[in-house]
Amino acid sequence: MTISLIRFRSRPSRQQRRIMGPQSALTDFLASHNISAHQIRLDADARRRAAQEGQGEQNNENNESNDPASAATPTTTPAVSGNPAPAARGRRATAASRNEEEARNKEKNAIEKIKASKKFQKRKRHVDSDDEDDLARALLQSSAPLPGQQENCENCGKRFTVTAYSRNGPKGGLLCSPCSKELDKNDAAARKKKPKRATGGAVGVRRQLQSSILDGTYTLGAKSLMTLCIETLAKNIDLAEDLGDLPSPIIDKIARKLSKLRLLDSRTLSLFLQPTAEEVQIYDGAKLNSDDYIRIFQVVPGLKKLKVRNAIHFKDTVMDYLISRNIELEDLYLHGANLISEARWTEYLQKKGRFLRSLRVYFTDKHFGDSVLALLPRTCPSLNRLKVCHNQEVTGAGVAAIAKIPTLRHLSLDLRNDVHSDVYVDLLGKIGTHLQTLSLTRVRDADNTVLDALHAHCRSLVKLRITESELMTDAGFARLFRGWANPGLEFVDLQKCRQLDSAHPRENPDGIGLCSDGFRALMAHSGRTLRELNVHGCRHIERVAFEDVFNVNNNNNNNVADSGETVYEALAKLEISFCEEITDYVVGSVFRCCPNLRELNVFGCMKVRDVRVPRGKILVGVPNARGMVIEGDDDEVRQ
Amino acid sequence: MADSKYITLISSNGFEFVVLREAALVSPTIKGMLRGGFKEAQTGVCEFPEISAHVLEKVVDYFHYWYRNRDKENVPDMKIPVEMCLELLMAASYFNLENMPVARPLQ
């Protein structure tokens, strides 16, 4: 018996595998991890046989232990203490003693294993025994019978067949299926209680509502079927293997939803890579690695537009791959790709820049600087849109280089370095005529000369943003908008253009920032076309100016035609937070004058107390206890 | 028939669904079919040979769900069976159920 066992042990497992015919993928995988399915089956069979033998022994006391079959028990199941054949003779005896030692070792190992197991730790907590070894041995002895065997239920004492799904009872024994179901029911009841407490009734609902209002996703009535489907899909994305041939706008929506839930990773990325697509938009690439980015170019060879946010692992290797392939990107949008070196940017622009029509680079601190921008005029002859946001490297020299790109239509700069006004004036003089978008965020040093240059050169501007200027004055803004040959703007953001002096916060003798006259001139010039206006923090605009602009003739309340009120048809979003002079009356006038207004922000307007809000409009930021949002329920206001 | 309160939608395998006209008009696609001199506008019957009965049933469910909740706040979400999710998504795109019309336009 021992001989057969030794032979069984010593047989090289590799040889065994070689004899076998075609194998399943699982077998291959296990084999690569040095696990043999055959070996496992043999072990299990031996154990089962031994256990049966053991049971037979228990039933029949007369069965002597010198039965040759029972001698196998100690070697295969360490649970039964080593009790080798009494006949200790010659070679067999040595084999037996070696056998015993082996069994003891095995038991020791098993005990160690049990000590490390979760079950043991749990039990230890319950029993509070000092002697770990004893406890572990007790566990070992009571170790559960294998699936397929018969066992008595710990709870009701009935005999039943053990399966892989049999549950453990509280004392460590096994339970029959009716008893486990009983236990399951209790568990389920305990589990159900918890989430109920977590989602709090009315407060949770209100919070959700306000969150959706601030997200801009608030609507009265039911969600659209598409939104419902996309939400369901995002919840169950691990079940999806392929999105099929959905139209690309829908795929884009799914991508947005998934990114919002932080579910975009290597696996889910494949759902969005369609070989025929020209556009890939990744809204959260934080979980993707360099290989994933390379995979994008492999799977989608006809890529024209690429947008990646949080593209942390979009590094040199990815750039190298992109440069080496025949991919002609027209639109590149990279957010947070700080690991691309300046050399790669240079190489990319030199090799592939001629295809680029739009280049947007966000949140880079070192390697996207003046020298890269200096390449643009030569390498990108058809560049139409350029956006450099939150950049710590670009200085005035870089901005001066941008002025040499005559094809530019849309320019957005959000730089950390201060750039002198002269640079902007020069830029506007050279390329200002055709600019449709100009966005200068955080330009502390820009002064009225920039505004005058805008007035003199820009003729096709649609979107204008100048924020946080501390030098521009009211007179400058008024000069810009009065008699400007540029058609009405659709988007204006002049937030935080205001006087900053902590010693005299109220006084503004020099008229710094956007004040009353500038605001009047702005609305006179662009009021009809404006869709979005942001004058956040322009706190020196007086109440009179607001009342002039949002003019309602109170005496003719019932007759709109005669009242002579100004109507701003297009305005959909207005931000007047921290304009101190705003009152209830002004807010009411705004609602009357802007029939298509969707959202009005009035954070920090402390004189707004109690306004009637028309139905379907949103007023955000009212300083009252109801929270910050009022969704109107007043239908009568426009009569 | 043309100005009845109800219209009939027919799925690919011939199932007919009778729907409140006002509810079905949430879909710009159906709205377009019922406007002008099309056959559908005269008979009030729209056939959708690309859409199977079980998907159309869910879409019709949605029409009524939307109609019931068109003025309410905090509408509970309609249950979408996971296995039909992609088919319904296609149907939603077909019926243009993407941006919901404003519940009640201001007078």
PDB file of all heavy atoms in Angstrom, chain A residues 33-56:
ATOM      1  N   HIS A  33      -0.184  27.161 -13.620  1.00  0.00           N
ATOM      2  CA  HIS A  33       0.022  27.524 -12.212  1.00  0.00           C
ATOM      3  C   HIS A  33       0.420  26.327 -11.368  1.00  0.00           C
ATOM      4  O   HIS A  33       0.225  26.318 -10.161  1.00  0.00           O
ATOM      5  CB  HIS A  33      -1.237  28.173 -11.651  1.00  0.00           C
ATOM      6  CG  HIS A  33      -1.449  29.539 -12.183  1.00  0.00           C
ATOM      7  ND1 HIS A  33      -1.156  30.677 -11.493  1.00  0.00           N
ATOM      8  CD2 HIS A  33      -1.900  29.955 -13.395  1.00  0.00           C
ATOM      9  CE1 HIS A  33      -1.427  31.731 -12.231  1.00  0.00           C
ATOM     10  NE2 HIS A  33      -1.882  31.322 -13.390  1.00  0.00           N
ATOM     11  N   ASN A  34       0.876  25.278 -12.069  1.00  0.00           N
ATOM     12  CA  ASN A  34       1.363  24.086 -11.396  1.00  0.00           C
ATOM     13  C   ASN A  34       0.251  23.359 -10.644  1.00  0.00           C
ATOM     14  O   ASN A  34       0.473  22.778  -9.600  1.00  0.00           O
ATOM     15  CB  ASN A  34       2.497  24.453 -10.439  1.00  0.00           C
ATOM     16  CG  ASN A  34       3.603  23.435 -10.574  1.00  0.00           C
ATOM     17  OD1 ASN A  34       3.441  22.464 -11.329  1.00  0.00           O
ATOM     18  ND2 ASN A  34       4.682  23.635  -9.859  1.00  0.00           N
ATOM     19  N   ILE A  35      -0.947  23.409 -11.146  1.00  0.00           N
ATOM     20  CA  ILE A  35      -2.050  22.670 -10.542  1.00  0.00           C
ATOM     21  C   ILE A  35      -2.538  21.678 -11.579  1.00  0.00           C
ATOM     22  O   ILE A  35      -2.792  22.050 -12.724  1.00  0.00           O
ATOM     23  CB  ILE A  35      -3.201  23.618 -10.170  1.00  0.00           C
ATOM     24  CG1 ILE A  35      -2.704  24.689  -9.211  1.00  0.00           C
ATOM     25  CG2 ILE A  35      -4.352  22.843  -9.563  1.00  0.00           C
ATOM     26  CD1 ILE A  35      -3.671  25.825  -9.033  1.00  0.00           C
ATOM     27  N   SER A  36      -2.645  20.430 -11.197  1.00  0.00           N
ATOM     28  CA  SER A  36      -3.107  19.433 -12.149  1.00  0.00           C
ATOM     29  C   SER A  36      -4.508  18.986 -11.767  1.00  0.00           C
ATOM     30  O   SER A  36      -4.752  18.563 -10.639  1.00  0.00           O
ATOM     31  CB  SER A  36      -2.143  18.253 -12.154  1.00  0.00           C
ATOM     32  OG  SER A  36      -2.839  17.099 -12.508  1.00  0.00           O
ATOM     33  N   ALA A  37      -5.415  19.077 -12.703  1.00  0.00           N
ATOM     34  CA  ALA A  37      -6.793  18.673 -12.450  1.00  0.00           C
ATOM     35  C   ALA A  37      -6.856  17.189 -12.126  1.00  0.00           C
ATOM     36  O   ALA A  37      -7.599  16.739 -11.255  1.00  0.00           O
ATOM     37  CB  ALA A  37      -7.656  18.980 -13.671  1.00  0.00           C
ATOM     38  N   HIS A  38      -6.025  16.426 -12.842  1.00  0.00           N
ATOM     39  CA  HIS A  38      -6.000  14.993 -12.629  1.00  0.00           C
ATOM     40  C   HIS A  38      -5.590  14.694 -11.194  1.00  0.00           C
ATOM     41  O   HIS A  38      -6.215  13.896 -10.496  1.00  0.00           O
ATOM     42  CB  HIS A  38      -5.025  14.382 -13.628  1.00  0.00           C
ATOM     43  CG  HIS A  38      -4.987  12.885 -13.582  1.00  0.00           C
ATOM     44  ND1 HIS A  38      -6.109  12.133 -13.869  1.00  0.00           N
ATOM     45  CD2 HIS A  38      -3.995  12.043 -13.282  1.00  0.00           C
ATOM     46  CE1 HIS A  38      -5.781  10.848 -13.739  1.00  0.00           C
ATOM     47  NE2 HIS A  38      -4.514  10.766 -13.387  1.00  0.00           N
ATOM     48  N   GLN A  39      -4.531  15.387 -10.780  1.00  0.00           N
ATOM     49  CA  GLN A  39      -4.029  15.194  -9.417  1.00  0.00           C
ATOM     50  C   GLN A  39      -5.121  15.497  -8.397  1.00  0.00           C
ATOM     51  O   GLN A  39      -5.336  14.739  -7.451  1.00  0.00           O
ATOM     52  CB  GLN A  39      -2.844  16.144  -9.208  1.00  0.00           C
ATOM     53  CG  GLN A  39      -2.157  16.000  -7.859  1.00  0.00           C
ATOM     54  CD  GLN A  39      -1.200  14.832  -7.877  1.00  0.00           C
ATOM     55  OE1 GLN A  39      -0.362  14.755  -8.763  1.00  0.00           O
ATOM     56  NE2 GLN A  39      -1.348  13.924  -6.936  1.00  0.00           N
ATOM     57  N   ILE A  40      -5.826  16.579  -8.637  1.00  0.00           N
ATOM     58  CA  ILE A  40      -6.874  16.974  -7.698  1.00  0.00           C
ATOM     59  C   ILE A  40      -7.948  15.906  -7.632  1.00  0.00           C
ATOM     60  O   ILE A  40      -8.418  15.521  -6.566  1.00  0.00           O
ATOM     61  CB  ILE A  40      -7.486  18.320  -8.137  1.00  0.00           C
ATOM     62  CG1 ILE A  40      -6.449  19.422  -7.946  1.00  0.00           C
ATOM     63  CG2 ILE A  40      -8.738  18.626  -7.338  1.00  0.00           C
ATOM     64  CD1 ILE A  40      -6.878  20.728  -8.534  1.00  0.00           C
ATOM     65  N   ARG A  41      -8.299  15.394  -8.813  1.00  0.00           N
ATOM     66  CA  ARG A  41      -9.350  14.381  -8.824  1.00  0.00           C
ATOM     67  C   ARG A  41      -8.897  13.136  -8.068  1.00  0.00           C
ATOM     68  O   ARG A  41      -9.637  12.575  -7.271  1.00  0.00           O
ATOM     69  CB  ARG A  41      -9.746  14.030 -10.266  1.00  0.00           C
ATOM     70  CG  ARG A  41     -11.057  13.278 -10.277  1.00  0.00           C
ATOM     71  CD  ARG A  41     -11.555  12.920 -11.676  1.00  0.00           C
ATOM     72  NE  ARG A  41     -11.292  13.918 -12.680  1.00  0.00           N
ATOM     73  CZ  ARG A  41     -10.486  13.720 -13.714  1.00  0.00           C
ATOM     74  NH1 ARG A  41      -9.857  12.562 -13.855  1.00  0.00           N
ATOM     75  NH2 ARG A  41     -10.306  14.658 -14.590  1.00  0.00           N
ATOM     76  N   LEU A  42      -7.643  12.719  -8.314  1.00  0.00           N
ATOM     77  CA  LEU A  42      -7.128  11.537  -7.625  1.00  0.00           C
ATOM     78  C   LEU A  42      -7.161  11.748  -6.120  1.00  0.00           C
ATOM     79  O   LEU A  42      -7.634  10.891  -5.357  1.00  0.00           O
ATOM     80  CB  LEU A  42      -5.699  11.245  -8.078  1.00  0.00           C
ATOM     81  CG  LEU A  42      -5.567  10.558  -9.441  1.00  0.00           C
ATOM     82  CD1 LEU A  42      -4.097  10.302  -9.750  1.00  0.00           C
ATOM     83  CD2 LEU A  42      -6.335   9.255  -9.465  1.00  0.00           C
ATOM     84  N   ASP A  43      -6.701  12.919  -5.691  1.00  0.00           N
ATOM     85  CA  ASP A  43      -6.683  13.217  -4.255  1.00  0.00           C
ATOM     86  C   ASP A  43      -8.082  13.146  -3.676  1.00  0.00           C
ATOM     87  O   ASP A  43      -8.303  12.545  -2.624  1.00  0.00           O
ATOM     88  CB  ASP A  43      -6.114  14.629  -4.022  1.00  0.00           C
ATOM     89  CG  ASP A  43      -4.600  14.613  -4.148  1.00  0.00           C
ATOM     90  OD1 ASP A  43      -4.046  13.490  -4.250  1.00  0.00           O
ATOM     91  OD2 ASP A  43      -3.998  15.699  -4.150  1.00  0.00           O
ATOM     92  N   ALA A  44      -9.006  13.778  -4.396  1.00  0.00           N
ATOM     93  CA  ALA A  44     -10.367  13.809  -3.895  1.00  0.00           C
ATOM     94  C   ALA A  44     -10.961  12.414  -3.797  1.00  0.00           C
ATOM     95  O   ALA A  44     -11.610  12.059  -2.808  1.00  0.00           O
ATOM     96  CB  ALA A  44     -11.233  14.672  -4.796  1.00  0.00           C
ATOM     97  N   ASP A  45     -10.690  11.606  -4.837  1.00  0.00           N
ATOM     98  CA  ASP A  45     -11.206  10.232  -4.817  1.00  0.00           C
ATOM     99  C   ASP A  45     -10.657   9.481  -3.617  1.00  0.00           C
ATOM    100  O   ASP A  45     -11.386   8.804  -2.890  1.00  0.00           O
ATOM    101  CB  ASP A  45     -10.813   9.503  -6.107  1.00  0.00           C
ATOM    102  CG  ASP A  45     -11.726   9.918  -7.255  1.00  0.00           C
ATOM    103  OD1 ASP A  45     -12.751  10.580  -6.950  1.00  0.00           O
ATOM    104  OD2 ASP A  45     -11.410   9.608  -8.417  1.00  0.00           O
ATOM    105  N   ALA A  46      -9.357   9.633  -3.421  1.00  0.00           N
ATOM    106  CA  ALA A  46      -8.712   8.914  -2.323  1.00  0.00           C
ATOM    107  C   ALA A  46      -9.312   9.346  -0.988  1.00  0.00           C
ATOM    108  O   ALA A  46      -9.602   8.520  -0.116  1.00  0.00           O
ATOM    109  CB  ALA A  46      -7.218   9.177  -2.340  1.00  0.00           C
ATOM    110  N   ARG A  47      -9.519  10.667  -0.873  1.00  0.00           N
ATOM    111  CA  ARG A  47     -10.067  11.179   0.378  1.00  0.00           C
ATOM    112  C   ARG A  47     -11.467  10.636   0.607  1.00  0.00           C
ATOM    113  O   ARG A  47     -11.837  10.231   1.701  1.00  0.00           O
ATOM    114  CB  ARG A  47     -10.105  12.702   0.335  1.00  0.00           C
ATOM    115  CG  ARG A  47      -9.345  13.335   1.468  1.00  0.00           C
ATOM    116  CD  ARG A  47      -9.368  14.805   1.345  1.00  0.00           C
ATOM    117  NE  ARG A  47      -8.729  15.232   0.093  1.00  0.00           N
ATOM    118  CZ  ARG A  47      -9.071  16.308  -0.589  1.00  0.00           C
ATOM    119  NH1 ARG A  47     -10.061  17.054  -0.164  1.00  0.00           N
ATOM    120  NH2 ARG A  47      -8.445  16.637  -1.694  1.00  0.00           N
ATOM    121  N   ARG A  48     -12.266  10.640  -0.485  1.00  0.00           N
ATOM    122  CA  ARG A  48     -13.641  10.171  -0.361  1.00  0.00           C
ATOM    123  C   ARG A  48     -13.653   8.693   0.051  1.00  0.00           C
ATOM    124  O   ARG A  48     -14.392   8.288   0.918  1.00  0.00           O
ATOM    125  CB  ARG A  48     -14.355  10.361  -1.703  1.00  0.00           C
ATOM    126  CG  ARG A  48     -15.842  10.212  -1.587  1.00  0.00           C
ATOM    127  CD  ARG A  48     -16.531  10.788  -2.798  1.00  0.00           C
ATOM    128  NE  ARG A  48     -16.369  12.228  -2.884  1.00  0.00           N
ATOM    129  CZ  ARG A  48     -16.354  12.904  -4.017  1.00  0.00           C
ATOM    130  NH1 ARG A  48     -16.442  12.256  -5.171  1.00  0.00           N
ATOM    131  NH2 ARG A  48     -16.227  14.206  -4.005  1.00  0.00           N
ATOM    132  N   ARG A  49     -12.755   7.933  -0.607  1.00  0.00           N
ATOM    133  CA  ARG A  49     -12.692   6.508  -0.299  1.00  0.00           C
ATOM    134  C   ARG A  49     -12.337   6.330   1.176  1.00  0.00           C
ATOM    135  O   ARG A  49     -12.955   5.572   1.900  1.00  0.00           O
ATOM    136  CB  ARG A  49     -11.640   5.828  -1.192  1.00  0.00           C
ATOM    137  CG  ARG A  49     -12.062   4.426  -1.596  1.00  0.00           C
ATOM    138  CD  ARG A  49     -11.000   3.768  -2.460  1.00  0.00           C
ATOM    139  NE  ARG A  49     -10.466   4.625  -3.496  1.00  0.00           N
ATOM    140  CZ  ARG A  49      -9.176   4.941  -3.603  1.00  0.00           C
ATOM    141  NH1 ARG A  49      -8.295   4.487  -2.744  1.00  0.00           N
ATOM    142  NH2 ARG A  49      -8.761   5.723  -4.581  1.00  0.00           N
ATOM    143  N   ALA A  50     -11.334   7.110   1.619  1.00  0.00           N
ATOM    144  CA  ALA A  50     -10.876   6.998   2.997  1.00  0.00           C
ATOM    145  C   ALA A  50     -12.000   7.345   3.959  1.00  0.00           C
ATOM    146  O   ALA A  50     -12.205   6.667   4.975  1.00  0.00           O
ATOM    147  CB  ALA A  50      -9.696   7.924   3.215  1.00  0.00           C
ATOM    148  N   ALA A  51     -12.741   8.384   3.620  1.00  0.00           N
ATOM    149  CA  ALA A  51     -13.816   8.800   4.510  1.00  0.00           C
ATOM    150  C   ALA A  51     -14.885   7.710   4.599  1.00  0.00           C
ATOM    151  O   ALA A  51     -15.416   7.425   5.675  1.00  0.00           O
ATOM    152  CB  ALA A  51     -14.424  10.093   4.006  1.00  0.00           C
ATOM    153  N   GLN A  52     -15.177   7.101   3.457  1.00  0.00           N
ATOM    154  CA  GLN A  52     -16.165   6.026   3.466  1.00  0.00           C
ATOM    155  C   GLN A  52     -15.685   4.880   4.345  1.00  0.00           C
ATOM    156  O   GLN A  52     -16.439   4.332   5.133  1.00  0.00           O
ATOM    157  CB  GLN A  52     -16.395   5.542   2.038  1.00  0.00           C
ATOM    158  CG  GLN A  52     -17.548   6.287   1.368  1.00  0.00           C
ATOM    159  CD  GLN A  52     -17.590   6.006  -0.107  1.00  0.00           C
ATOM    160  OE1 GLN A  52     -16.832   5.168  -0.601  1.00  0.00           O
ATOM    161  NE2 GLN A  52     -18.470   6.706  -0.802  1.00  0.00           N
ATOM    162  N   GLU A  53     -14.397   4.586   4.188  1.00  0.00           N
ATOM    163  CA  GLU A  53     -13.820   3.514   4.971  1.00  0.00           C
ATOM    164  C   GLU A  53     -13.964   3.843   6.454  1.00  0.00           C
ATOM    165  O   GLU A  53     -14.357   3.014   7.268  1.00  0.00           O
ATOM    166  CB  GLU A  53     -12.345   3.337   4.621  1.00  0.00           C
ATOM    167  CG  GLU A  53     -12.024   1.933   4.179  1.00  0.00           C
ATOM    168  CD  GLU A  53     -12.110   1.823   2.660  1.00  0.00           C
ATOM    169  OE1 GLU A  53     -11.445   2.615   1.959  1.00  0.00           O
ATOM    170  OE2 GLU A  53     -12.838   0.952   2.182  1.00  0.00           O
ATOM    171  N   GLY A  54     -13.642   5.087   6.776  1.00  0.00           N
ATOM    172  CA  GLY A  54     -13.713   5.516   8.163  1.00  0.00           C
ATOM    173  C   GLY A  54     -15.120   5.332   8.712  1.00  0.00           C
ATOM    174  O   GLY A  54     -15.320   4.874   9.832  1.00  0.00           O
ATOM    175  N   GLN A  55     -16.099   5.679   7.887  1.00  0.00           N
ATOM    176  CA  GLN A  55     -17.479   5.557   8.313  1.00  0.00           C
ATOM    177  C   GLN A  55     -17.844   4.096   8.557  1.00  0.00           C
ATOM    178  O   GLN A  55     -18.467   3.750   9.546  1.00  0.00           O
ATOM    179  CB  GLN A  55     -18.387   6.114   7.229  1.00  0.00           C
ATOM    180  CG  GLN A  55     -19.124   7.322   7.735  1.00  0.00           C
ATOM    181  CD  GLN A  55     -19.833   8.008   6.583  1.00  0.00           C
ATOM    182  OE1 GLN A  55     -20.089   7.391   5.569  1.00  0.00           O
ATOM    183  NE2 GLN A  55     -20.129   9.262   6.782  1.00  0.00           N
ATOM    184  N   GLY A  56     -17.385   3.256   7.602  1.00  0.00           N
ATOM    185  CA  GLY A  56     -17.637   1.828   7.733  1.00  0.00           C
ATOM    186  C   GLY A  56     -17.060   1.319   9.052  1.00  0.00           C
ATOM    187  O   GLY A  56     -17.683   0.525   9.761  1.00  0.00           O
TER     188      GLY A  56
END
